[in-house]
């Protein structure tokens, strides 16, 4: 019997991605998807009516995995395929497939939980954040009458109720031996009671085998009688923190209002050992300064910046809408391989810049930022070239 050639499989199969084989992902509205980049599936499973492992073991997910193994492209994965067809690395190829035999899931304990069901409370009002991801943003956008300009959750019900939450907790504990990693997402996860309830209920004998990772704004690393150090001490030593930031100093405070920069930077120093990256989302208000942002966090804290995400929605904040002459300069700046971004990061930025601009979207973005300026201070004093 011929030996399975995994390198050949990765090279020839243009559909396979390990995430449907090892990750359980849900959005903040409770809808399960194949991954955070995937489009909506036809099944419409949600955390309110289906527990995570029931979804993962469902006939629909088995069909997805069969199709991937056979090299059949899936409509849910269009985002990655479109990038690949244009010659760009994608989320699928760059992060999980290229040369990575370890991403062929095997063994019993291999499931990653990435469930946005812990709540949407957040203490910040980041200017590009979707209202479904932050309670503060929903309140702010409603007051400003801009909430309709941002993508809305398709599932209008809360992702869980009392019954479904308890069923999910029970199922997670029943399947705890299958879990390799839990990725905590909010809202701001470290400030969510459900996050701490889940952490407390996982038995120590299993916790020591489970890696925990966070997407956090790192402005608060303590909550009532809990602290992030409780997690670090209880779970697998490879706790990993991705800190969300878009800039530094006054510009960061404006974008991620009302951020206390001094407190944030003290927390960076305190948990530096566990920070894997500072995650930057590229938008109108940082596209000119990406090298400077990277150097700031590297030089001051010894931290690396990841810039593999660009604002696509809302369109009014996308870098594609900058004036064409400006975009030409930025494409030239970021297209070279002679920078410290990964190839995937640079290409995602360039791919968005190469899209045709829409003047109305750009003007809508300027109008929106002028309205925010009434609360946060005049944005043009910080970004005089974006007017």
């Amino acid at each position: 019997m011929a030996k399975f050639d995994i390198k050949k499989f990765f090279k020839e199969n243009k559909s396979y991605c390990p995430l449907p084989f090892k990750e359980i992902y849900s959005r903040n509205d409770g809808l399960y998807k194949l991954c955070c980049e995937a489009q909506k599936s036809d099944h419409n499973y949600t955390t309110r009516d289906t527990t995570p492992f029931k979804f993962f073991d469902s006939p629909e997910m088995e069909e997805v995995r069969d199709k991937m193994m056979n090299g059949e492209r899936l409509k849910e994965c269009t985002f990655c395929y479109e990038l690949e067809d244009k010659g760009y690395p994608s989320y699928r190829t760059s992060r999980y497939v290229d040369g990575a035999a370890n991403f062929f899931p095997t063994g019993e304990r291999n499931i990653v939980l990435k469930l946005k069901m812990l709540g949407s409370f957040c203490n910040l009002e980041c200017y590009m954040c979707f209202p479904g991801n932050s309670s503060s943003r929903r309140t702010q956008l409603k007051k400003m009458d801009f909430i309709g300009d941002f993508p809305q959750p398709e599932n209008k019900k809360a992702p869980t109720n009392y019954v479904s939450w308890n069923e999910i907790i029970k199922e997670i504990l029943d399947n705890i031996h299958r879990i390799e990693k839990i990725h905590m997402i909010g809202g701001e996860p470290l400030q969510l009671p459900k996050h701490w309830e889940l952490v407390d209920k996982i038995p120590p004998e299993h916790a020591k085998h489970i890696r925990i990772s966070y997407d956090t704004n790192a402005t608060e690393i303590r909550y009532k009688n809990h602290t992030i150090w409780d997690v670090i001490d209880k779970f697998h030593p490879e706790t990993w923190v991705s800190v969300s930031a878009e800039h530094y100093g006054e510009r960061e405070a404006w974008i991620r209002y009302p951020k206390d920069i001094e407190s944030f930077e003290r927390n960076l120093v305190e948990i530096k050992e566990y920070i894997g990256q500072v995650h930057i989302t590229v938008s109108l208000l940082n596209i000119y300064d990406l090298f400077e942002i990277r150097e700031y966090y590297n030089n001051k804290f010894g931290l690396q910046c990841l810039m593999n995400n660009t604002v696509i929605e809302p369109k009014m904040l996308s870098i594609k809408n900058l004036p064409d002459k400006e975009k030409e300069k930025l494409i030239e700046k970021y297209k070279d391989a002679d920078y410290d971004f990964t190839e995937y990061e640079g290409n995602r930025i360039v791919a968005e810049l190469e899209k045709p601009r829409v003047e109305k979207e750009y003007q809508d973005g300027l109008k929106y930022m002028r309205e925010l300026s009434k609360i946060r201070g005049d944005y043009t004093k910080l970004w005089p070239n974006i007017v």
Side-chain angles (χ1 to χ4, degrees), residues 222-286:
R222 293 165 180 82
Y223 176 79
K224 295 185 178 179
N225 62 332
H226 287 91
T227 169
I228 193 172
W229 293 103
D230 298 335
V231 179
I232 292 169
D233 292 340
K234 180 176 182 178
F235 287 84
H236 190 284
E238 292 180 11
T239 301
W240 187 86
V241 177
S242 176
V243 174
S244 300
E246 318 313 326
H247 220 295
Y248 58 88
E250 288 183 295
R251 293 183 179 185
E252 170 71 356
W254 197 98
I255 293 173
R256 300 181 75 86
Y257 180 87
K259 187 171 188 176
D260 182 329
I261 298 298
E262 289 185 7
S263 174
F264 166 67
E265 294 195 347
R266 282 197 300 270
N267 290 340
L268 293 187
V269 173
E270 183 174 347
I271 62 171
K272 174 185 170 182
E273 179 184 352
Y274 299 94
I275 297 175
Q277 64 193 25
V278 178
H279 193 276
I280 311 294
T281 298
V282 180
S283 71
L284 285 178
L285 296 187
N286 58 17

Side-chain angles (χ1 to χ4, degrees), residues 44-101:
N44 289 327
Y45 284 118
T46 74
T47 51
R48 194 177 176 93
D49 55 43
T50 306
T51 49
F53 285 89
K54 184 178 178 182
F55 163 70
F56 185 78
D57 296 331
S58 68
E60 289 86 352
M61 285 300 294
E62 283 301 305
E63 183 179 4
V64 162
R65 291 187 273 264
D66 286 343
K67 287 180 178 179
M68 283 190 165
M69 291 300 292
N70 291 327
E72 182 178 337
R73 283 190 163 192
L74 303 169
K75 68 174 185 178
E76 294 93 332
C77 304
T78 299
F79 179 76
C80 282
Y81 299 151
E82 287 180 349
L83 283 172
E84 293 165 28
D85 290 344
K86 291 177 182 177
Y88 295 120
S90 71
Y91 192 71
R92 183 185 81 88
T93 60
S94 291
R95 294 193 65 179
Y96 298 110
V97 174
D98 282 350

Side-chain angles (χ1 to χ4, degrees), residues 77 122 149 188 197 223 247 374:
C77 304
C122 185
D149 295 274
E188 172 47 43
E197 181 183 346
Y223 176 79
H247 220 295
K374 296 175 183 178

